[in-house]
Amino acid sequence: MRDGLSLLAPEETVLAAMIEGWEQQQRSRMLANLTIERRTQIVRRLVVFTNDYPWRWSSADVEEWTTHLVESGAAHSTVRLYQMAASLFCSYISDVRYRWHEVCERHFGVHPVQIFHEWNMVVHRSDYEGRPGNRPLTRDELQAFFDYCDTRVNRVGASGRKGWLASYRDATLFKVIYAWGLRRREASMLDTVDWTANPAATEFGRYGALSVRHGKALSGGPPRRRTVLTTMEWAAEAVDEWVTEIRPLYDSDQLALWPTERSARVGAVSISQRFAEYRDAVGLEKHLGPHCLRHSYATHLLEDGFDHLFVQQQLGHSWGSTTAIYTSVGTDYKNNALRRALSRAFTTASTDEEN
């Protein structure tokens, strides 16, 4: 803003200029437009909550805002995300290089300061910050769950009781949720034609990529689409067997990948109910839901060495911080990563000494 200008509505004009300047700073860092928009929305919400302008904010406002967020039911990670966005804005407007202190002193007699500090911001409370019911399963827990799925199919089939086909369907459904990192609705709405080959991974045949057409929508927007690449050969084989040999037994002319006996789709509620039944049979905690399979997928991919950005795109996350909430790598993974780093360091040091 130019010196000497007389502003008709100084508060609103300066606030708008601050936000515009902050957005420009973030664009210069090549941040995604969606990231910038969300951060701006958070700052505007804080303005509304405090009913005051940023140059008059105080640390007490942070504590009142945080308390409001917590009482409104916001998750620990969400509160931290909000605080971080507002903290970045305060860092920008209090940086003397941008001269907002001069503008505010001239028009309002005060200057903006950083109000977010280590002592009034939430911290990482544990390695895993998602809701307890969504925690990733260990590989042993996951194997026990899938073993029960398969055992149930065999037991129902051997008994001659009705339900073998549904048991087979549910077992394959849970494997697909895990192996492609899907939400309940995403899995429920799949069709048989959503699978395609991936020229870069021909070993998976026609099941090299999955088109997810009913991804989680942004507020007020349509369902988001994404393509999830296949990473597990055993899962592609399970889907192939289901589609080509088992599913035709339903004698349905619908495209739904998971049909019912009445030619409808298996719904999200049914998925949760069946998961709870299997979970209890295996002895897992009762707060776990089917979404933990999606979290397990993200964690296990990272443990297997997949790039963090690849995992983020597979899950359809706009923000890498969301993916971080999903994951909780195990001690073995951490120790292996440490061992690889130390091995490279000592190998390099030995080579230098020899030279």
Side-chain angles (χ1 to χ4, degrees):
M1 298 180 65
R2 294 181 181 179
D3 296 340
L5 287 178
S6 178
L7 306 178
L8 295 178
E11 290 88 355
E12 291 299 327
T13 302
V14 172
L15 175 61
M18 282 180 167
I19 292 177
E20 182 180 355
W22 186 47
E23 291 176 340
Q24 185 174 347
Q25 180 209 51
Q26 294 178 89
R27 291 192 186 95
S28 71
R29 296 172 54 204
M30 301 294 290
L31 297 183
N33 287 333
L34 182 59
T35 298
I36 297 172
E37 291 173 5
R38 287 179 174 176
R39 288 179 174 178
T40 299
Q41 289 174 358
I42 291 171
V43 170
R44 293 190 183 280
R45 289 173 185 171
L46 182 53
V47 171
V48 172
F49 176 82
T50 60
N51 194 31
D52 211 341
Y53 294 97
W55 48 90
R56 296 195 185 97
W57 286 346
S58 68
S59 295
D61 291 322
V62 175
E63 294 152 18
E64 292 178 6
W65 186 46
T66 301
T67 301
H68 168 72
L69 292 173
V70 172
E71 292 177 347
S72 299
H76 181 94
S77 56
T78 300
V79 175
R80 185 158 50 81
L81 183 67
Y82 274 42
Q83 287 185 342
M84 184 58 65
S87 174
L88 290 172
F89 175 72
C90 287
S91 294
Y92 164 74
I93 62 176
S94 60
D95 190 326
V96 295
R97 291 171 295 184
Y98 294 102
R99 303 180 63 184
W100 289 114
H101 65 293
E102 297 179 5
V103 173
C104 292
E105 286 281 5
R106 184 167 64 251
H107 291 285
F108 314 118
V110 294
H111 61 271
V113 296
Q114 176 59 270
I115 61 173
F116 291 87
H117 308 282
E118 183 178 355
W119 44 266
N120 67 356
M121 294 181 67
V122 297
V123 296
H124 288 276
R125 61 184 177 187
S126 64
D127 288 339
Y128 176 72
E129 290 194 349
R131 293 179 174 84
N134 295 336
R135 74 157 178 87
L137 302 179
T138 66
R139 294 180 188 266
D140 288 342
E141 289 174 332
L142 183 69
Q143 189 61 57
F145 181 82
F146 286 154
D147 286 346
Y148 177 80
C149 292
D150 294 337
T151 299
R152 180 182 175 84
V153 173
N154 295 332
R155 187 170 64 245
V156 174
S159 69
R161 292 187 289 111
K162 182 179 179 181
W164 174 83
L165 192 54
S167 296
Y168 201 113
R169 176 201 63 205
D170 295 339
T172 310
L173 168 59
F174 289 132
K175 293 172 183 176
V176 167
I177 290 177
Y178 165 72
W180 280 270
L182 304 179
R183 301 178 178 89
R184 290 180 308 162
R185 176 169 169 76
E186 291 174 348
S188 172
M189 299 302 293
L190 290 178
D191 287 340
T192 56
V193 295
D194 290 332
W195 303 95
T196 56
N198 180 359
T202 56
E203 60 266 42
F204 300 131
R206 63 159 293 205
Y207 301 99
L210 176 62
S211 176
V212 178
R213 296 173 292 105
H214 293 270
K216 186 176 181 179
L218 296 177
S219 179
R224 289 189 293 172
R225 303 172 68 109
R226 73 179 187 280
T227 298
V228 184
L229 303 182
T230 302
T231 60
M232 306 175 190
E233 186 173 6
W234 65 265
E237 293 173 352
V239 174
D240 182 34
E241 184 177 33
W242 166 253
V243 172
T244 59
E245 299 180 23
I246 310 301
R247 183 188 172 281
L249 299 177
Y250 270 104
D251 194 25
S252 172
D253 58 356
Q254 304 295 321
L255 293 175
L257 185 61
W258 317 113
T260 66
E261 293 181 350
R262 298 181 179 179
S263 297
R265 291 180 183 272
V266 172
V269 174
S270 296
I271 292 175
S272 293
Q273 292 173 342
R274 187 53 56 90
F275 179 88
E277 178 185 342
Y278 290 8
R279 173 205 65 204
D280 292 346
V282 175
L284 296 172
E285 302 101 306
K286 289 188 176 297
H287 58 251
L288 289 173
H291 202 65
C292 73
L293 297 175
R294 177 171 158 89
H295 286 241
S296 304
Y297 167 79
T299 295
H300 295 167
L301 283 190
L302 288 176
E303 289 182 343
D304 290 340
F306 283 87
D307 182 77
H308 190 281
L309 179 59
F310 175 82
V311 177
Q312 176 185 337
Q313 293 174 341
Q314 290 280 95
L315 294 172
H317 288 159
S318 299
W319 290 24
S321 57
T322 306
T323 307
I325 294 171
Y326 268 54
T327 58
S328 176
V329 295
T331 301
D332 288 342
Y333 171 81
K334 296 176 182 177
N335 287 334
N336 290 336
L338 174 64
R339 187 71 267 160
R340 287 194 299 270
L342 293 176
S343 296
R344 286 195 300 269
F346 283 110
T347 299
T348 301
S350 299
T351 303
D352 291 341
E353 291 177 0
E354 293 174 0
N355 294 336

